Amino acid sequence: KIRLRGPPGVRSMLRGPRAAGRGPWQRGRPRAAVPDAPAFDSPTAQSWKHFESFPGVKEIVYDFSLRRNQVPATTPGRSIPDELAKDLKLIGNRTVLYRDANAWCPFCERVWLSLLEKGVDFEQAFVEIGKIPQWYKDIVPTGQTPAVIINGQMVWESSLILDKLEEAFPNNTPLGPRSAEEKEFARVMRDFCDSPTGLSAAGYGLIRATGDNPGELSNARENFESALATIESALGKYEGSFFLPHFSVVDIMFVPPLERFRANMPYFKNFQVYGNAKYPYLKRWYDGLDARATYGKVKSDDSTLRQLMEKVFMAERIKEAATDVDDFRLEAAAKLIINREAIIADILQHSGVSQEDSTNLAVDEHLLRVVSVLLTGDEGKPCRKSSDAAVGAAALAFLRNRVSTPRDMRADAANAFRAAIDAVLAKVYDGGRALA
C-alpha cells in the first residue's frame, strides 16, 4: 500500500474514475514515450545566419553597444572602455555617465532617465557594484555610482547631477520648475523622497519588516500608507499626470522608489500600490510614466526587481497560512503524490537528464516543491548546487509539456499544475545562478 501524505482531501481526490488511457501519471510502469520531436539540426531548423537577416533584427539594436567579454555584454547607447573612462583628460568635454554594470542602481536610473529626457548626447562607462575598481575610486571620492562628467567637471550624487544637467544644458528640454511656487513645491517633494522620514525610507522599512514582530509590521505599514497619502495629495495639486504641470526632475526623483514599490509590495507584503482605490492620482502618475518612451528604455520588470530584493536586500515574503486549497490544485497535487515514482521514471527515461542517484534525488526534490506550491503556496528557495538546479529545470520543463488532459487530470488542474511549475522554475536559480 502507498501511504498518502498531505492535507485532507488528497486521498479522496484519488478515488474518482481514472481518465482513459495510461500515462506517466497513472500507477505502474510508464508506457513508451510520445515520438521524439525532430532534432534541432534537422533540415527544418533555421541557422543563426537566417535569423540575423530577419527583418528588423539589426535595425532594432542600432543604438546598442556590443561589449565582448565584458559585463554587460550589450548596452543601449554608446559606451567607452575603461582605459578611456579612467582618463579625464582624454574625455575632455564629452558627457559621460558612470553607472552600475547591471542597471540595478536606482540613483543611476534617475540620471540616465534625465539624460534621455533632455536629449543630451552622452556616453557610458560601467562600474561593477561590489567590485569597485581603484581607478573609479581615484576619480570619484565616494566610490559610488552614479557620476557624470559634464563640461570637464566630475559630478556625483544623483540629486546634484540632476540640477547640474539643468544648468549645463539650458537649451535642451527643461525639466526644472518654471515658477517660484513650483520651485518651492519641488524642493519640498524632493526632500520628502529621500529624507529619513520620507517615501523611500517608509517603503523599504515595510519591505524589511517581518512577521516575527506584528507590532513592527503594523507600524511599518502605517508609515508607508501615510507616505503614499502624501504622494497622492501632491499629485493632485496640478492638472495632468505629474507632480508639476510638466514632467520634471521631481518625477525623476520618485521614479526608482515608486517603480520598485509597485513591483515588490504586492509580492512581499500583499499590498497593492498600483490600482489601489485609495490612490487614483498615483495610478494616473504610473500610467503617464509608462507612456513615456524614455522611461521604457530604463525601466526594469517586476521579476528582476523582486529577485533583487530577495538576493541583495534579503527580503522575505510574509506568507499567510494556507486555508482552502481549491479542487484543481488539490487534484494536481494528488496525482503527483500518488504517481511520483512513475513520473520520476518517465523523466529519467525521456527528458535527457542523466540517470544517476544524485539526479533522481534532484528530480524528486523539485517535484516536492511543485506539490508545496500547489498545497501551501511556498515554492522554496533557490538550489544550493548548480548541478541540481540544471537537473530540476530540465525535469520541470519536460514535465510541463508532458502532462496531457483529460488523460492525466482535468484541464483546470493541469493549468494549476503548470502555474506551480512556473513558480518553482522562477526560483530554481538565484538571479541567474545557483547559490553555490
Side-chain angles (χ1 to χ4, degrees), residues 111-131:
V111 178
W112 189 8
L113 179 57
S114 181
L115 287 164
L116 293 174
E117 283 284 343
K118 292 188 69 64
V120 174
D121 186 25
F122 71 99
E123 295 168 293
Q124 302 168 93
F126 298 97
V127 179
E128 188 172 353
I129 302 300
K131 297 180 181 179

mmCIF file of all heavy atoms in Angstrom, residues 111-131:
data_model
loop_
_atom_site.group_PDB
_atom_site.id
_atom_site.type_symbol
_atom_site.label_atom_id
_atom_site.label_comp_id
_atom_site.label_asym_id
_atom_site.label_seq_id
_atom_site.Cartn_x
_atom_site.Cartn_y
_atom_site.Cartn_z
ATOM 1 N N VAL A 111 19.547 59.532 -13.189
ATOM 2 C CA VAL A 111 20.403 60.332 -14.072
ATOM 3 C C VAL A 111 20.262 59.875 -15.518
ATOM 4 O O VAL A 111 20.196 60.694 -16.438
ATOM 5 C CB VAL A 111 21.862 60.235 -13.600
ATOM 6 C CG1 VAL A 111 22.776 61.022 -14.538
ATOM 7 C CG2 VAL A 111 21.989 60.759 -12.167
ATOM 8 N N TRP A 112 20.221 58.580 -15.723
ATOM 9 C CA TRP A 112 20.048 58.010 -17.058
ATOM 10 C C TRP A 112 18.763 58.523 -17.695
ATOM 11 O O TRP A 112 18.756 58.965 -18.853
ATOM 12 C CB TRP A 112 20.039 56.489 -16.926
ATOM 13 C CG TRP A 112 20.092 55.714 -18.205
ATOM 14 C CD1 TRP A 112 20.293 56.195 -19.463
ATOM 15 C CD2 TRP A 112 19.947 54.296 -18.334
ATOM 16 N NE1 TRP A 112 20.275 55.161 -20.377
ATOM 17 C CE2 TRP A 112 20.075 53.986 -19.710
ATOM 18 C CE3 TRP A 112 19.739 53.259 -17.433
ATOM 19 C CZ2 TRP A 112 19.978 52.687 -20.190
ATOM 20 C CZ3 TRP A 112 19.649 51.964 -17.906
ATOM 21 C CH2 TRP A 112 19.773 51.683 -19.265
ATOM 22 N N LEU A 113 17.670 58.495 -16.933
ATOM 23 C CA LEU A 113 16.380 58.972 -17.447
ATOM 24 C C LEU A 113 16.432 60.461 -17.751
ATOM 25 O O LEU A 113 15.889 60.921 -18.768
ATOM 26 C CB LEU A 113 15.272 58.657 -16.441
ATOM 27 C CG LEU A 113 13.857 59.113 -16.808
ATOM 28 C CD1 LEU A 113 13.421 58.526 -18.152
ATOM 29 C CD2 LEU A 113 12.866 58.713 -15.708
ATOM 30 N N SER A 114 17.080 61.228 -16.897
ATOM 31 C CA SER A 114 17.177 62.669 -17.117
ATOM 32 C C SER A 114 17.950 62.982 -18.398
ATOM 33 O O SER A 114 17.549 63.847 -19.188
ATOM 34 C CB SER A 114 17.866 63.335 -15.919
ATOM 35 O OG SER A 114 17.958 64.736 -16.107
ATOM 36 N N LEU A 115 19.045 62.282 -18.638
ATOM 37 C CA LEU A 115 19.823 62.497 -19.858
ATOM 38 C C LEU A 115 18.995 62.191 -21.098
ATOM 39 O O LEU A 115 19.049 62.928 -22.106
ATOM 40 C CB LEU A 115 21.070 61.614 -19.835
ATOM 41 C CG LEU A 115 22.185 62.042 -18.879
ATOM 42 C CD1 LEU A 115 23.178 60.903 -18.665
ATOM 43 C CD2 LEU A 115 22.906 63.283 -19.400
ATOM 44 N N LEU A 116 18.209 61.109 -21.038
ATOM 45 C CA LEU A 116 17.357 60.748 -22.170
ATOM 46 C C LEU A 116 16.246 61.773 -22.367
ATOM 47 O O LEU A 116 15.932 62.159 -23.504
ATOM 48 C CB LEU A 116 16.762 59.357 -21.951
ATOM 49 C CG LEU A 116 17.751 58.183 -21.963
ATOM 50 C CD1 LEU A 116 17.032 56.886 -21.597
ATOM 51 C CD2 LEU A 116 18.404 58.043 -23.335
ATOM 52 N N GLU A 117 15.622 62.198 -21.287
ATOM 53 C CA GLU A 117 14.543 63.183 -21.382
ATOM 54 C C GLU A 117 15.037 64.500 -21.964
ATOM 55 O O GLU A 117 14.347 65.132 -22.766
ATOM 56 C CB GLU A 117 13.916 63.416 -20.004
ATOM 57 C CG GLU A 117 12.966 62.331 -19.538
ATOM 58 C CD GLU A 117 11.608 62.407 -20.233
ATOM 59 O OE1 GLU A 117 11.286 63.459 -20.830
ATOM 60 O OE2 GLU A 117 10.866 61.407 -20.188
ATOM 61 N N LYS A 118 16.229 64.899 -21.584
ATOM 62 C CA LYS A 118 16.753 66.175 -22.061
ATOM 63 C C LYS A 118 17.352 66.064 -23.461
ATOM 64 O O LYS A 118 17.633 67.079 -24.105
ATOM 65 C CB LYS A 118 17.817 66.698 -21.090
ATOM 66 C CG LYS A 118 17.251 67.110 -19.734
ATOM 67 C CD LYS A 118 18.279 67.803 -18.877
ATOM 68 C CE LYS A 118 18.643 69.169 -19.424
ATOM 69 N NZ LYS A 118 17.499 70.123 -19.420
ATOM 70 N N GLY A 119 17.562 64.823 -23.923
ATOM 71 C CA GLY A 119 18.141 64.651 -25.237
ATOM 72 C C GLY A 119 19.613 65.004 -25.297
ATOM 73 O O GLY A 119 20.118 65.435 -26.341
ATOM 74 N N VAL A 120 20.311 64.804 -24.182
ATOM 75 C CA VAL A 120 21.749 65.094 -24.133
ATOM 76 C C VAL A 120 22.518 63.971 -24.829
ATOM 77 O O VAL A 120 22.237 62.788 -24.609
ATOM 78 C CB VAL A 120 22.225 65.239 -22.673
ATOM 79 C CG1 VAL A 120 23.745 65.402 -22.617
ATOM 80 C CG2 VAL A 120 21.537 66.423 -22.007
ATOM 81 N N ASP A 121 23.480 64.333 -25.637
ATOM 82 C CA ASP A 121 24.343 63.348 -26.298
ATOM 83 C C ASP A 121 25.387 62.892 -25.271
ATOM 84 O O ASP A 121 26.237 63.687 -24.849
ATOM 85 C CB ASP A 121 25.018 63.981 -27.506
ATOM 86 C CG ASP A 121 25.804 62.970 -28.321
ATOM 87 O OD1 ASP A 121 25.467 61.773 -28.261
ATOM 88 O OD2 ASP A 121 26.767 63.386 -28.984
ATOM 89 N N PHE A 122 25.326 61.622 -24.874
ATOM 90 C CA PHE A 122 26.227 61.155 -23.814
ATOM 91 C C PHE A 122 26.716 59.751 -24.104
ATOM 92 O O PHE A 122 26.159 59.021 -24.926
ATOM 93 C CB PHE A 122 25.518 61.187 -22.454
ATOM 94 C CG PHE A 122 24.442 60.144 -22.278
ATOM 95 C CD1 PHE A 122 24.689 58.966 -21.583
ATOM 96 C CD2 PHE A 122 23.158 60.340 -22.803
ATOM 97 C CE1 PHE A 122 23.703 58.005 -21.424
ATOM 98 C CE2 PHE A 122 22.169 59.388 -22.642
ATOM 99 C CZ PHE A 122 22.439 58.207 -21.945
ATOM 100 N N GLU A 123 27.785 59.390 -23.417
ATOM 101 C CA GLU A 123 28.346 58.048 -23.467
ATOM 102 C C GLU A 123 28.324 57.471 -22.056
ATOM 103 O O GLU A 123 28.072 58.186 -21.079
ATOM 104 C CB GLU A 123 29.768 58.087 -24.026
ATOM 105 C CG GLU A 123 29.811 58.544 -25.479
ATOM 106 C CD GLU A 123 31.215 58.864 -25.930
ATOM 107 O OE1 GLU A 123 31.784 59.852 -25.418
ATOM 108 O OE2 GLU A 123 31.747 58.138 -26.780
ATOM 109 N N GLN A 124 28.614 56.155 -21.952
ATOM 110 C CA GLN A 124 28.516 55.487 -20.659
ATOM 111 C C GLN A 124 29.796 54.717 -20.353
ATOM 112 O O GLN A 124 30.441 54.185 -21.253
ATOM 113 C CB GLN A 124 27.349 54.504 -20.659
ATOM 114 C CG GLN A 124 26.011 55.132 -20.973
ATOM 115 C CD GLN A 124 24.945 54.088 -21.244
ATOM 116 O OE1 GLN A 124 24.228 53.683 -20.349
ATOM 117 N NE2 GLN A 124 24.869 53.621 -22.479
ATOM 118 N N ALA A 125 30.121 54.676 -19.064
ATOM 119 C CA ALA A 125 31.176 53.811 -18.553
ATOM 120 C C ALA A 125 30.561 53.006 -17.418
ATOM 121 O O ALA A 125 29.688 53.512 -16.695
ATOM 122 C CB ALA A 125 32.363 54.635 -18.059
ATOM 123 N N PHE A 126 31.011 51.762 -17.263
ATOM 124 C CA PHE A 126 30.336 50.862 -16.331
ATOM 125 C C PHE A 126 31.231 50.473 -15.162
ATOM 126 O O PHE A 126 32.435 50.236 -15.331
ATOM 127 C CB PHE A 126 29.850 49.616 -17.066
ATOM 128 C CG PHE A 126 28.846 49.934 -18.138
ATOM 129 C CD1 PHE A 126 29.236 50.054 -19.455
ATOM 130 C CD2 PHE A 126 27.519 50.148 -17.820
ATOM 131 C CE1 PHE A 126 28.323 50.381 -20.445
ATOM 132 C CE2 PHE A 126 26.598 50.470 -18.793
ATOM 133 C CZ PHE A 126 26.997 50.586 -20.110
ATOM 134 N N VAL A 127 30.606 50.403 -14.001
ATOM 135 C CA VAL A 127 31.290 50.044 -12.765
ATOM 136 C C VAL A 127 30.546 48.872 -12.158
ATOM 137 O O VAL A 127 29.315 48.909 -12.006
ATOM 138 C CB VAL A 127 31.317 51.225 -11.777
ATOM 139 C CG1 VAL A 127 32.019 50.822 -10.490
ATOM 140 C CG2 VAL A 127 31.971 52.440 -12.410
ATOM 141 N N GLU A 128 31.264 47.807 -11.830
ATOM 142 C CA GLU A 128 30.626 46.635 -11.240
ATOM 143 C C GLU A 128 30.483 46.827 -9.734
ATOM 144 O O GLU A 128 31.477 46.888 -9.005
ATOM 145 C CB GLU A 128 31.441 45.371 -11.531
ATOM 146 C CG GLU A 128 30.718 44.101 -11.098
ATOM 147 C CD GLU A 128 31.421 42.852 -11.554
ATOM 148 O OE1 GLU A 128 32.397 42.951 -12.324
ATOM 149 O OE2 GLU A 128 30.995 41.753 -11.138
ATOM 150 N N ILE A 129 29.235 46.923 -9.279
ATOM 151 C CA ILE A 129 28.969 47.110 -7.858
ATOM 152 C C ILE A 129 29.473 45.889 -7.088
ATOM 153 O O ILE A 129 29.249 44.753 -7.461
ATOM 154 C CB ILE A 129 27.459 47.303 -7.610
ATOM 155 C CG1 ILE A 129 26.946 48.503 -8.409
ATOM 156 C CG2 ILE A 129 27.186 47.489 -6.125
ATOM 157 C CD1 ILE A 129 27.589 49.810 -8.085
ATOM 158 N N GLY A 130 30.137 46.149 -5.978
ATOM 159 C CA GLY A 130 30.715 45.059 -5.196
ATOM 160 C C GLY A 130 32.168 44.814 -5.544
ATOM 161 O O GLY A 130 32.904 44.195 -4.769
ATOM 162 N N LYS A 131 32.587 45.281 -6.728
ATOM 163 C CA LYS A 131 33.983 45.154 -7.143
ATOM 164 C C LYS A 131 34.431 46.489 -7.741
ATOM 165 O O LYS A 131 34.887 46.560 -8.890
ATOM 166 C CB LYS A 131 34.148 44.026 -8.158
ATOM 167 C CG LYS A 131 33.797 42.645 -7.619
ATOM 168 C CD LYS A 131 33.982 41.583 -8.701
ATOM 169 C CE LYS A 131 33.602 40.204 -8.183
ATOM 170 N NZ LYS A 131 33.753 39.159 -9.241
#
